[in-house]
Amino acid sequence: GVVGRGIHHEKGGEAIHAVVVPGAGRSLDEDELLRFAGERLAHYKRPRSVELVAALPLSGTGKVLKKELRARHGAAR
């Protein structure tokens, strides 16, 4: 799964940061993911940074806890 959130950026206010959980048995490279996104997404939708994690923080009902991700990365909102 992938979650993209805005994080603080000195020049533009916010920049997209992707938090990615690789599929079972898959290995990923952050540069490879940024290149992949750059080839397929509009400039303003491209993540500027990527973080690979084993799991996303989830609530008891299985929803991604976006507030925890924002707090972890110093997001503006």
Side-chain angles (χ1 to χ4, degrees):
V2 177
V3 175
R5 297 303 317 157
I7 59 172
H8 178 71
H9 187 269
E10 291 78 32
K11 292 184 180 180
E14 281 190 348
I16 297 174
H17 175 76
V19 180
V20 180
V21 178
R26 300 195 76 179
S27 64
L28 295 175
D29 176 81
E30 293 174 15
D31 291 331
E32 181 182 351
L33 288 171
L34 290 172
R35 195 169 32 259
F36 179 85
E39 294 170 355
R40 289 165 176 78
L41 298 174
H43 176 73
Y44 66 94
K45 292 182 178 183
R46 293 179 195 157
R48 300 296 180 250
S49 57
V50 174
E51 176 186 3
L52 301 174
V53 297
L56 295 171
L58 300 176
S59 71
T61 60
K63 292 185 178 185
V64 175
L65 295 173
K66 294 177 185 176
K67 285 184 181 182
E68 283 190 24
L69 291 174
R70 288 184 193 116
R72 186 184 324 172
H73 297 289
R77 310 180 209 169

